Amino acid sequence: MLQHGLKGVIAAETAISYIDGEKGHLVYRGLEAKDIALNYSFEEAAYFIWNGSLPSQTEVELLSEKLKKYRVLPEHMEKMLHLLPTDMEIMSVLRTLISSLGNSHFQWKPTVEEAIQLTAIIPTIIAYWHRRKAGKSPVAPHENYDHVANYLYMLTGETPSNVHVKTLETYMILTLEHGMNASTFSARVTISTESDMISAITSAIGTMKGPLHGGAPSDVTKMLNGIGRKENAESWLREKLENGERLMGFGHRVYKTKDPRALALKEKALEVGQDDPWLALALYVEETAIQLLEEYKPGRKLYTNVEFFAAAVMRSIHLEDDLFTPTFTASRIVGWTAHVLEQAERNVIFRPESQYIGQLPTLS
Ligand code: ACO
């Protein structure tokens, strides 16, 4: 039976994460994602997602050492970053640079070591390009900082505050995995041909880029900037809905209640940016939009998704709009690589059918 967009189709078995879209739960390998975000570091969470068990002290130290080793930019990548035109957006730069890692070491079958290497290098590429675009010289990775602190350090060149590190770490843990979303599916389709980890992740980055998936948070800030003041919210939102446009940061294929990640990030945003007028506007727009969505799209159960409050959290730690989707990528790389490893373990090539709706010659 034809299912546009594969809605409701179960395409694979997975032990990595579970989503209850009706009740609003996200579970990573048997534990609530929000509990992991509250109690563990990014390194521990990544280890857990890749290996299925929480690491011992020695294991997490070993992982941390590897992340530090692999986050140094290879020479060819640095050269490439200078060859690419500066008007290229970061997601396209990431797609291109990650593709260039695909030397002969990366082959079928994918390994955890490759997952670590990719996770380590993505923040370095993002920070390098972000600074280059702003005409600033790059900041080399700090040899002592953990993964998330180092990312902020490479972006700003300054020692990040603990509050900013913990806020970003919470965001990155809450978004590092999310079942069979579009980009994860892309990665699994690519590896299912017995291709390699780099090709799978290059596919995923290209898929992540679009506004119906990872590209929404900067559109959320555009929307809030467009609205500007609480008094404008209702008429602005009504006009969009009258024109049949979608409100960015609302609706989800799986969640038919509030996205648990959005709830956790909202809490974080309130903690960090209590007095921020922009956040006050965001909360007002959230409430107004949910009411209007029920009026214009009754019964569709459209609520705020993770992207809405991702924008608020990233603003509160002073990350600029063009960093939103790349930062999402820097966390989701963990889930993508875990799915690639899982797919490779019990591989069946993805090859669905399509329903032909064109003309046919007379067939004998
Ligand atoms: N604003 C207005 N209407 C919406 C929205 C929205 N944000 N989302 C869905 N709808 C409406 C659709 O127009 C459709 O209406 P209809 O029944 O009259 O045709 C109905 O709700 C169902 O929409 P679908 O597109 O079938 O729902 P789907 O599950 O395919 O879409 C999606 C999910 C793509 C996330 C959608 O809600 C959307 O476009 N949201 C805005 C973009 C966004 O926030 N993306 C980030 C998603 S989170 C993430 O990927 C990490």
Side-chain angles (χ1 to χ4, degrees):
M1 194 177 61
L2 172 64
Q3 280 297 354
H4 287 289
L6 299 180
K7 264 190 188 184
V9 172
I10 297 172
E13 288 181 319
T14 184
I16 305 170
S17 67
Y18 166 76
I19 304 164
D20 182 334
E22 291 298 328
K23 295 197 183 119
H25 292 289
L26 171 59
V27 171
Y28 293 162
R29 295 208 182 265
L31 298 179
E32 288 257 13
K34 67 173 176 352
D35 293 337
I36 304 204
L38 283 179
N39 298 307
Y40 296 96
S41 66
F42 179 85
E43 282 81 348
E44 289 168 315
Y47 184 100
F48 185 48
I49 294 287
W50 287 323
N51 298 287
S53 60
L54 283 161
S56 65
Q57 191 58 31
T58 318
E59 284 164 337
V60 81
E61 279 168 15
L62 185 64
L63 171 59
S64 194
E65 283 314 309
K66 285 186 178 179
L67 286 168
K68 285 176 185 163
K69 177 177 96 179
Y70 287 133
R71 69 193 181 199
V72 177
L73 206 59
E75 202 185 322
H76 83 272
M77 280 197 170
E78 188 158 4
K79 285 189 184 144
M80 283 177 75
L81 283 163
H82 284 273
L83 285 174
L84 297 175
T86 46
D87 63 351
M88 213 164 154
E89 50 175 354
I90 306 189
M91 289 303 288
S92 302
V93 172
L94 263 183
R95 196 190 52 221
T96 308
L97 269 279
I98 290 303
S99 181
S100 83
L101 265 184
N103 60 23
S104 56
H105 296 300
F106 288 91
Q107 284 178 358
W108 178 261
K109 283 170 97 171
T111 63
V112 176
E113 194 71 16
E114 293 169 357
I116 300 170
Q117 191 170 348
L118 280 158
T119 305
I121 199 65
I122 286 178
T124 311
I125 300 171
I126 298 170
Y128 198 107
W129 188 255
H130 183 69
R131 290 184 69 86
R132 178 164 184 244
K133 266 192 112 150
K136 295 179 185 163
S137 50
V139 174
H142 196 292
E143 51 190 34
N144 297 329
Y145 288 163
D146 287 339
H147 188 71
V148 177
N150 178 61
Y151 177 40
L152 284 175
Y153 168 74
M154 289 188 301
L155 284 169
T156 62
E158 288 161 20
T159 303
S161 76
N162 285 341
V163 175
H164 283 192
V165 173
K166 198 54 218 160
T167 303
L168 183 58
E169 194 158 32
T170 304
Y171 165 80
M172 289 183 73
I173 295 175
L174 283 171
T175 53
L176 55 73
E177 158 60 12
H178 206 240
M180 194 59 81
N181 56 82
S183 53
T184 299
F185 184 50
S186 289
R188 285 189 83 129
V189 170
T190 302
I191 203 67
S192 82
T193 67
E194 297 195 0
S195 179
D196 60 86
M197 179 71 98
I198 294 297
S199 304
I201 298 308
T202 307
S203 301
I205 295 172
T207 309
M208 172 66 108
K209 191 171 180 277
L212 296 192
H213 187 19
S218 45
D219 289 333
V220 171
T221 42
K222 271 184 220 146
M223 172 176 81
L224 290 169
N225 291 341
I227 294 172
R229 290 145 41 102
K230 284 184 187 175
E231 300 74 56
N232 301 337
E234 186 174 338
S235 56
W236 195 97
L237 295 167
R238 264 192 201 283
E239 194 186 325
K240 294 281 164 198
L241 291 168
E242 291 284 348
N243 293 337
E245 288 179 43
R246 287 177 182 228
L247 305 182
M248 289 296 141
F250 294 87
H252 197 276
R253 174 63 65 84
V254 183
Y255 293 116
K256 299 303 166 200
T257 182
K258 289 192 177 172
D259 181 336
R261 301 165 301 168
L263 289 173
L265 288 177
K266 182 175 177 175
E267 242 174 72
K268 252 299 159 223
L270 284 168
E271 238 176 84
V272 190
Q274 283 152 348
D275 306 322
D276 182 356
W278 190 91
L279 183 58
L281 176 68
L283 294 175
Y284 185 79
V285 167
E286 179 194 25
E287 210 179 291
T288 314
I290 290 174
Q291 281 170 12
L292 291 176
L293 283 165
E294 190 45 37
E295 184 184 325
Y296 283 83
K297 299 280 173 184
R300 302 328 188 277
K301 298 185 179 169
L302 300 168
Y303 297 97
T304 16
N305 60 45
V306 66
E307 306 277 304
F308 190 83
F309 284 105
V313 160
M314 299 232 207
R315 261 185 64 100
S316 72
I317 57 168
H318 313 309
L319 290 194
E320 289 154 46
D321 289 17
D322 67 329
L323 288 169
F324 292 0
T325 309
T327 303
F328 186 10
T329 306
S331 56
R332 186 53 61 81
I333 182 65
V334 174
W336 288 339
T337 47
H339 276 271
V340 166
L341 294 166
E342 189 179 63
Q343 178 68 35
E345 275 317 303
R346 279 192 292 159
N347 191 40
V348 178
I349 186 172
F350 282 98
R351 202 318 185 177
E353 304 281 326
S354 52
Q355 188 169 303
Y356 181 66
I357 55 165
Q359 293 191 335
L360 282 174
T362 313
L363 298 170
S364 53

